[in-house]
Each structure stands twice: as C-alpha cells, then as structure tokens.
Amino acid sequence: MRSGLRYPADMQKITIRRPDDWHLHLRDGAMLRAVLPETTRHFARAIIMPNLVPPVVTARDALAYRERIMAALPEEATFQPLMTLYLTEGTDPADVAAAAASGLVTAVKLYPAGATTNSHGGVRDLAKVMPVLEKMAEIGLPLCTHGEVTTPEVDIFDREAVFIDTVLAPLRRRLPDLRVVMEHITTEEGVAYAAEGGDSLGATITTHHLIINRNHILAGGIRPHYYCLPVAKREKHRLALRRAATSGSPRYFLGTDSAPHVDALKEHACGCAGCFTATNTMSLLAHVFDEEGALDRLEGFASLNGPAFYRLPVNPGTVTLEKHAEPCTWPEKIQAEPGPVTVFQPGFPVHWHVVS
Ligand code: DOR
Ligand code: ZN
C-alpha cells in the first residue's frame, strides 16, 4: 500500500481519460475480426505488433495491414491503429523514414531472432541494422524492443536482465538520441533500468505480469493460458512491476501484449506464448490499482504516460469504472473462426466494472 492517498479507500467509482494499449497483437483475417472488438470497446488507440506471417516489414506492408484492420472495425468504433514495422536485417532506412514522415508508422519493433512468436525473421546481428537505428535516432522514431537475449546458455528467467546489460545499455550508449520502449518488462532489473533512462526511454507493463508470477504457471499443474513471453518471473519481480506501474512515474505505461492463440495451440505439447487480456484489462487494472491504494494513478498509467512518450495528444473521451458488490463476469472464451481463444482469468473475483 502506498501512503498519501488522494482518493478515499472506499472509492467506488473512477472516471479516466480513454485509455490506449501501447502493445497489442491483433493478428489477421478471421482472428483479427474476432479479437478487434475486444480492444475497441475500451481503447482508443493501440500500437499494433507486426509479427504476422509473413511479418509487416515495409511501409507497403504496414499500409495494407492498416487497411485490413480498418475494414475489420466494428461499426461505430472510433479506433486508431498505430502501425509498427518489423525490423529485419534487410530493412531499408529510407523506407522507414518515409513511413514515419507520412505518419503511417509510429514505431519500429526489434525482435531478436527466435525470441518469441514469429520472430525468426528478426535481428541476429545488431550491427546489420545500425543504419536503420541511426536514422530512427535522427528522426525521433521510437524503437520498441522485445528485450530478451536468445542465447541458449542463458536461462529463460535471466534473458531480460542479460538483454539490458549486453544489448540495450550498449545500444543506448552508442545512440543516446534513440527513443526506446522496453516492451513488457517483467523484472526488477527492467524496472530499475527504465527508472534511470530519462525522457528517451519508456517501458510498457502488461496486465497479466501485474497479476501472476511463475508459480501461477507451474505450481500444482502447468497452466498454459498463463504462459507468455517474457515468462512471468518470481514474486519479487511482480511486486516491483506493481510498484512501478502505480508509482506515478511517466516512464511506465500500459501495453497489454494481449496475444490471442487458439486453445488447440495453447493446450499443446509445445504451447504458444501469449495471454489474451484485451477483454478484461481495464477491470483487472482497476482491481490492481485499488489493491495498491493507487486508483488516482490509473489514469496516468493507462491514458496519459503513453501519449506523452509517443508525443501524441491524450484521447478526448473517458471511461468510467464502478466497484460493484457482484463480481465481473467475462466470456470464458472468444469464439474465433479458427477456434476458441481463452480469455485471461485472474483466479480471484474482480469487482470493477467498466460502466461507460
Ligand atoms: O507471449 C507473447 N506472445 N509474447 C510475445 O512476445 C509475442 C506474443 C505473440 O505474438 O503471441
Ligand atoms: Zn507482444
């Protein structure tokens, strides 16, 4: 619990600026159509991850993907997809610069090759993408990083901390003007590095990493719907993430990393990584911030800090949440044409309802 509450502990209602999701997987085709309404219900904008098959590499790819998203929007939805490019060793700096100048793309995504879902086309050798990164530093285009090394000798629970020391810190020393978002941080090392990074550094935190630690995935049976990358860590790291998200620091903002996979691929001998939280994120966040005595800081985390980092206006609308005696209910699954997608279930009752 944080001291110095501005809101009474029994506050039952909160209205905040309409939130954005600064890290979202929408996929494509029938899956896109099934999951998009889950995001547009509450969020005005989202940074759209480019790890499709094949990935969104060029400005032309991003334009086409953006059109497919716009075509899939539910009627009356006012949602703005903020497009990203998937960085490859063949990416052309001029293509990136033109896409940024036209307003088509908001960021470029660095996937170390092999780090996660559909990342095999990502970067093996950072030296090969240095001309792109130099151009991005020059024009102020943010780089979103999947911050994990892929070296097989590095334990999966250490991959984020090792990435910070061996990749991110040297990169930022070399290109101090490069604007970087550490995506989905999961460790106290990530929290600490972001805290010291200055205005050119931001860090997204997912909803699920505020709720689960590695015991939730592994103790008493393996729970594939809690498996994501970066994998949830020890409890002390979850607590560090909670302190960061509720600290009021502008460095941290919401990126759900909501990542749909059909159940057949989650409940599998080699299950896919991803938690699907688009449906219930706002209720879950209100619950977490309420538990931390920080409801007055939910707006900063979900609606203000992200636009400030990305130099975009805050959304004009609002969302209102109310704490009711009866808990929220969500569909257990979203029925997508390729198969059902399980909605993230926190494992405890949540009483914060989004009412408007
Ligand atoms: O859990 C994850 N799922 N982490 C990622 O980095 C990618 C994502 C996906 O695309 O499924
Ligand atoms: Zn992601």
Side-chain angles (χ1 to χ4, degrees):
M1 288 277 280
R2 187 173 64 78
S3 59
L5 284 188
R6 271 204 286 123
Y7 285 73
D10 62 350
M11 191 173 68
Q12 303 293 302
K13 182 172 177 174
I14 180 171
T15 296
I16 62 171
R17 290 284 190 148
R18 199 166 181 80
D20 302 301
D21 185 349
W22 299 98
H23 184 128
L24 177 67
H25 297 270
L26 283 178
R27 315 300 191 206
D28 213 342
M31 183 62 92
L32 165 65
R33 288 193 293 279
V35 300
L36 185 56
E38 301 303 298
T39 286
T40 62
R41 196 172 298 134
H42 300 151
F43 294 93
R45 298 172 291 202
I47 288 271
I48 309 301
M49 286 297 128
N51 61 334
L52 306 181
V53 186
V56 180
V57 174
T58 63
R60 196 189 161 102
D61 298 338
L63 186 60
Y65 186 31
R66 187 176 191 284
E67 279 169 8
R68 297 199 295 281
I69 295 169
M70 296 311 284
L73 276 182
E75 253 175 66
E76 292 172 30
T78 52
F79 175 76
Q80 193 186 358
L82 303 172
M83 307 309 291
T84 62
L85 297 178
Y86 182 116
L87 184 60
T88 73
E89 291 179 2
T91 295
D92 174 7
D95 185 58
V96 172
S102 71
L104 172 65
V105 306
T106 303
V108 171
K109 178 72 188 272
L110 167 66
Y111 286 108
T116 188
T117 311
N118 301 329
S119 62
H120 44 271
V123 176
R124 272 162 230 284
D125 178 2
L126 213 54
K128 298 214 171 101
V129 295
M130 211 42 80
V132 183
L133 300 179
E134 283 164 359
K135 177 54 82 179
M136 290 169 61
E138 182 192 319
I139 64 179
L141 185 66
L143 178 73
C144 297
T145 57
H146 182 108
E148 290 190 287
V149 293
T150 54
T151 334
E153 302 77 56
V154 177
D155 189 274
I156 190 163
F157 291 101
D158 298 333
R159 288 178 176 190
E160 180 171 300
V162 173
F163 180 88
I164 293 168
D165 289 345
T166 63
V167 182
L168 185 57
L171 173 63
R172 293 187 62 248
R173 282 196 293 271
R174 177 164 173 177
L175 293 177
D177 291 337
L178 184 64
R179 308 184 64 240
V180 175
V181 182
M182 302 169 71
E183 297 294 341
H184 42 50
I185 55 170
T186 59
T187 58
E188 58 186 14
E189 289 88 347
V191 167
Y193 187 78
E196 298 301 315
D199 288 350
S200 65
L201 190 63
T204 59
I205 300 177
T206 76
T207 313
H208 49 284
H209 288 114
L210 295 171
I211 293 174
I212 59 168
N213 63 32
R214 64 194 198 179
N215 278 12
H216 293 95
I217 312 172
L218 295 170
I222 188 160
R223 294 191 186 73
H225 296 290
Y226 286 162
Y227 172 64
C228 67
L229 287 170
V231 69
K233 310 293 192 299
R234 288 177 179 275
E235 178 65 357
K236 68 170 181 173
H237 297 292
R238 185 184 74 100
L239 296 177
L241 295 171
R242 279 195 169 216
R243 282 194 298 276
T246 60
S247 66
S249 162
R251 298 284 165 264
Y252 310 103
F253 39 93
L254 173 64
T256 66
D257 199 12
S258 182
H261 293 278
V262 295
D263 283 354
L265 294 177
K266 292 287 294 175
E267 300 164 8
H268 190 273
C270 184
C272 292
C275 296
F276 183 71
T277 54
T279 305
N280 50 9
T281 273
M282 289 315 297
S283 292
L284 296 174
L285 287 177
H287 178 98
V288 167
F289 278 66
D290 190 9
E291 275 188 344
E292 298 294 327
L295 277 171
D296 58 323
R297 292 177 172 179
L298 177 59
E299 183 178 50
F301 180 70
S303 314
L304 306 180
N305 300 347
F309 178 85
Y310 278 99
R311 300 173 175 162
L312 291 169
V314 164
N315 295 313
T318 60
V319 298
T320 297
L321 294 114
E322 282 176 7
K323 193 177 188 178
H324 293 175
E326 72 280 10
C328 302
T329 54
W330 302 289
E332 197 190 330
K333 295 171 193 302
I334 301 298
Q335 298 301 335
E337 199 184 299
V341 175
T342 292
V343 174
F344 178 84
Q345 301 295 335
F348 48 76
V350 173
H351 295 268
W352 283 94
H353 299 245
V354 181
V355 294
S356 63

